[in-house]
Amino acid sequence: MIQMFNVFKNYDPVSPALIDISLHIRKGEFVFISGPSGAGKTTFLKLIYREELPTQGQILVNRRNIAKLPPSKIPYLRRSMGIVFQDFKLLNNKTIFDNVSFVLKILGVPVSVTKKKVFNMLRMVDIHHKMKSLPPQLSGGEQQRVVIARALINDPALLLADEPTGNLDPELSMEIMRLFEEANQKGTTVVVATHNPALIGCISNKRVIMLDKGRIVRYY
Amino acid sequence: MFRAIKYFLREGWSSLWHNKGANFLSIAIIIVSLYVLGVFLVLSTNFNHILARWSENVQVNIYLEENLSEPALLYVQERLSILPEIEEFVYISKQEALQRFHTLFPSLRTLPDDIGGNPFPPSYELKIKKEYQTIDGVKRLASSLQRLDGVKEVSYDLQWIERLSTVMKLLRVIGIFLVGVLVFSAVSTTSNVIRLLAYARKDEIDIMKLVGASSWFIKGPFLVEGMLQGFIAGIISIGILYLSYRLVSYYLALSYNLLFGFLLFTFLPLEYWLGIISGGTLVGLMGSFISIRKFLRY
């Protein structure tokens, strides 16, 4: 699913964000990218969804070399993914329902199907009672759940999550991880970046890649 | 496809409505540009009508040399009959010309005798075919007639038409320049307004990109918003133009009934209305297209 060959990423020459990363994440895997703040976890994810380009090295996502992907094809790459952003990235002037349904609108899913699917997804993350609210009217934890609903709504082949439980209490965090596991069991490849070791412990069949100062320091 | 267009229209309209203040500015500028364009079109349409009408009555006279021999006269007559521009021609002898003078100016009956005989040369009165009733057509014909043996002078009453035509050419140049400047300012205002609106929604655009929206999907509502600005401006400008036309014709008809009543006899035809509205829509589209491009680089 994801292959990286000697990938480097430098935002500035003094402190590189990623150094010589080579790895292979297979289809259907559940992988944690762990490490302290500033280890390069977010950059690692950004390279996969082509928000950033590697300074050096090659990245294949679904056998496509994303560094050579023309700009017009980037939306199609992202449509095959669900992304949970650390800072949510919700459309603040649109309701919770519209935020989640927007993904299906892009894909051209009929309105009747969209309504049903979005409602079910919002119920799954237990936020359906607030679907007419705007994001700023919700708490951090609630917004987090909306983001997760948006990421899962199109049954993505790849789910990328950046600190997905950062704003949630432990109980809800477990619930979200269960949702990710469920998606994984249905065939979605899941990559979760987190600095929370407790979160890693709640998934049984997983792989952990530890980053520190931009390097892979441990695999298990 | 249909669903996407519906989405663009809804989003474009909603943004236009929510940002009334900024959008009003570009709508107003487009209205001014289209109004000035419309004024020039009304003037030019009416001058064209007048020119066409006046040209219809153009008559060309050729005056022959005195005491032209029979074969020379026949030669002129023969040439006239083969020229394609001439519909018909009538020969006016010296005697007939004098007769006409007597009929037209009875009080001056003695004048020819006073100056020593009949001063009128023999002539031909030519009627020009409709398709040649243009200034250039008549001028060309006159110069070719002038070269005929036995022809002393060719006269045609085109002074007024020529003057009007010069005024029209001048008007057209001024019009093109003015409309050009205004269209440029309208495109740049629309472009700046849309750029401001897009800038205010930069985060939204970035999020749309991150969740997989294609650039057309993001551009669509902005382009529709620009087009709506131009479309609305087009309709309003035609409304204002029509009101001004009615007002001006009313006052001119009151004060200079004959001359200006004749001048302002028609408003713009429907195809011009559609042209102005489409022009406005295009200006809006161009403005928004220019500004939105840079927000969509991946």
Side-chain angles (χ1 to χ4, degrees):
Chain A
M1 189 82 193
I2 302 166
Q3 286 171 281
M4 291 193 180
F5 303 98
N6 308 105
V7 170
F8 289 77
K9 177 67 189 176
N10 294 351
Y11 290 107
D12 65 86
V14 186
S15 52
L18 290 175
I19 304 162
D20 199 15
I21 305 286
S22 293
L23 54 79
H24 187 184
I25 296 174
R26 285 181 186 77
K27 201 170 174 204
E29 263 196 287
F30 198 121
V31 175
F32 282 101
I33 309 293
S34 80
S37 285
K41 303 186 294 290
T42 301
T43 303
F44 180 89
L45 295 183
K46 280 184 173 177
L47 287 172
I48 298 171
Y49 62 84
R50 183 43 173 88
E51 171 78 342
E52 296 292 346
L53 281 167
T55 313
Q56 198 184 312
Q58 303 295 327
I59 303 170
L60 302 184
V61 175
N62 242 340
R63 293 200 205 101
R64 280 185 295 191
N65 186 340
I66 61 161
K68 289 183 180 155
L69 204 63
S72 60
K73 295 274 187 262
I74 296 172
Y76 298 99
L77 170 82
R78 291 177 184 167
R79 283 178 208 174
S80 67
M81 303 172 175
I83 311 171
V84 178
F85 300 97
Q86 196 173 7
D87 56 351
F88 309 146
K89 295 202 188 299
L90 289 168
L91 300 167
N92 285 336
N93 57 347
K94 293 207 186 295
T95 64
I96 298 311
F97 181 91
D98 288 342
N99 263 283
V100 178
S101 66
F102 185 72
V103 176
L104 298 179
K105 204 178 270 173
I106 291 168
L107 295 171
V109 177
V111 179
S112 54
V113 179
T114 300
K115 276 185 183 167
K116 215 169 153 184
K117 225 174 155 183
V118 172
F119 184 75
N120 286 338
M121 182 53 75
L122 290 174
R123 198 163 53 182
M124 220 161 89
V125 294
D126 195 27
I127 201 78
H128 57 292
H129 53 288
K130 294 208 169 165
M131 67 178 183
K132 286 184 180 160
S133 308
L134 295 173
Q137 295 166 330
L138 268 55
S139 71
E142 286 170 327
Q143 290 190 46
Q144 186 83 288
R145 280 182 272 163
V146 177
V147 179
I148 289 163
R150 183 180 65 186
L152 290 172
I153 192 73
N154 60 339
D155 303 317
L158 174 63
L159 179 74
L160 304 174
D162 194 0
E163 302 288 0
T165 55
N167 294 285
L168 304 181
D169 55 55
E171 201 177 313
L172 202 54
S173 298
M174 296 306 134
E175 184 56 38
I176 295 302
M177 291 319 287
R178 261 196 294 279
L179 280 175
F180 285 177
E181 202 170 20
E182 230 176 270
N184 180 241
Q185 276 156 8
K186 283 185 200 158
T188 300
T189 309
V190 181
V191 180
V192 179
T194 182
H195 67 277
N196 182 1
L199 210 62
I200 300 170
C202 71
I203 301 289
S204 51
N205 193 13
K206 83 264 168 174
R207 190 148 66 102
V208 182
I209 297 166
M210 262 190 92
L211 291 177
D212 192 20
K213 291 180 185 144
R215 289 180 195 275
I216 296 179
V217 290
R218 208 171 141 206
Y219 262 116
Y220 62 96
Chain B
M1 182 72 183
F2 179 71
R3 211 176 293 140
I5 292 171
K6 210 171 127 187
Y7 165 77
F8 294 165
L9 284 171
R10 204 182 47 235
E11 291 290 310
W13 176 254
S14 139
S15 172
L16 188 80
W17 189 246
H18 279 114
N19 303 293
K20 287 188 279 283
N23 282 313
F24 173 78
L25 181 71
S26 49
I27 290 176
I29 301 277
I30 303 175
I31 289 175
V32 173
S33 322
L34 294 177
Y35 179 77
V36 173
L37 170 72
V39 167
F40 279 98
L41 285 176
V42 170
L43 289 176
S44 143
T45 310
N46 283 292
F47 277 132
N48 269 335
H49 274 286
I50 295 166
L51 275 179
R53 254 193 205 189
W54 285 1
S55 305
E56 272 171 33
N57 301 319
V58 170
Q59 188 179 299
V60 177
N61 293 311
I62 54 176
Y63 299 101
L64 304 170
E65 282 164 8
E66 303 274 346
N67 309 318
L68 210 59
S69 69
E70 192 69 23
L73 195 65
L74 272 172
Y75 167 74
V76 175
Q77 196 167 323
E78 195 186 320
R79 299 301 302 168
L80 291 182
S81 61
I82 59 169
L83 280 169
E85 295 95 332
I86 298 167
E87 191 168 311
E88 57 185 50
F89 56 89
V90 183
Y91 176 69
I92 312 289
S93 67
K94 273 180 79 71
Q95 200 49 45
E96 278 172 286
L98 183 66
Q99 205 71 50
R100 277 193 187 178
F101 179 77
H102 284 157
T103 320
L104 283 170
F105 307 102
S107 55
L108 301 171
R109 278 193 85 83
T110 55
L111 186 68
D113 291 333
D114 294 345
I115 59 168
N118 182 354
F120 302 106
S123 64
Y124 278 105
E125 280 180 7
L126 315 179
K127 198 173 168 199
I128 313 300
K129 278 185 191 161
K130 213 175 176 68
E131 60 266 38
Y132 294 102
Q133 286 175 352
T134 60
I135 295 169
D136 287 342
V138 171
K139 270 187 165 172
R140 252 197 314 275
L141 175 68
S143 75
S144 76
L145 290 171
Q146 189 71 64
R147 287 195 295 272
L148 285 179
D149 286 338
V151 172
K152 195 173 164 189
E153 197 187 325
V154 180
S155 82
Y156 52 91
D157 190 16
L158 272 179
Q159 246 181 1
W160 267 101
I161 298 178
E162 277 185 314
R163 276 182 199 165
L164 199 61
S165 160
T166 314
V167 171
M168 261 197 66
K169 276 179 194 155
L170 193 71
L171 260 178
R172 207 168 289 159
V173 172
I174 297 172
I176 288 171
F177 175 74
L178 222 91
V179 169
V181 169
L182 286 167
V183 163
F184 177 77
S185 62
V187 168
S188 95
T189 309
T190 312
S191 155
N192 283 321
V193 166
I194 298 276
R195 183 174 298 147
L196 277 176
L197 297 180
Y199 195 78
R201 288 166 65 185
K202 193 180 172 302
D203 290 347
E204 199 181 323
I205 291 174
D206 285 343
I207 294 169
M208 287 178 178
K209 284 200 263 187
L210 287 173
V211 297
S214 67
S215 72
W216 278 108
F217 200 86
I218 301 170
K219 259 186 237 174
F222 287 102
L223 296 183
V224 166
E225 189 171 350
M227 283 165 78
L228 283 173
Q229 285 177 3
F231 181 77
I232 292 168
I235 291 176
I236 295 176
S237 69
I238 286 178
I240 300 176
L241 193 65
Y242 185 69
L243 284 178
S244 342
Y245 161 78
R246 292 301 301 256
L247 210 69
V248 170
S249 7
Y250 175 74
Y251 280 108
L252 287 182
L254 276 185
S255 35
Y256 304 101
N257 201 1
L258 261 176
L259 178 64
F260 290 104
F262 175 61
L263 267 177
L264 285 162
F265 57 77
T266 174
F267 189 59
L268 295 174
L270 186 66
E271 53 267 32
Y272 281 60
W273 294 33
L274 298 177
I276 288 177
I277 294 174
S278 333
T281 311
L282 193 70
V283 164
L285 177 67
M286 275 165 62
S288 52
F289 188 77
I290 292 167
S291 59
I292 197 69
R293 261 185 327 171
K294 81 172 199 126
F295 284 93
L296 289 168
R297 289 189 192 129
Y298 280 89

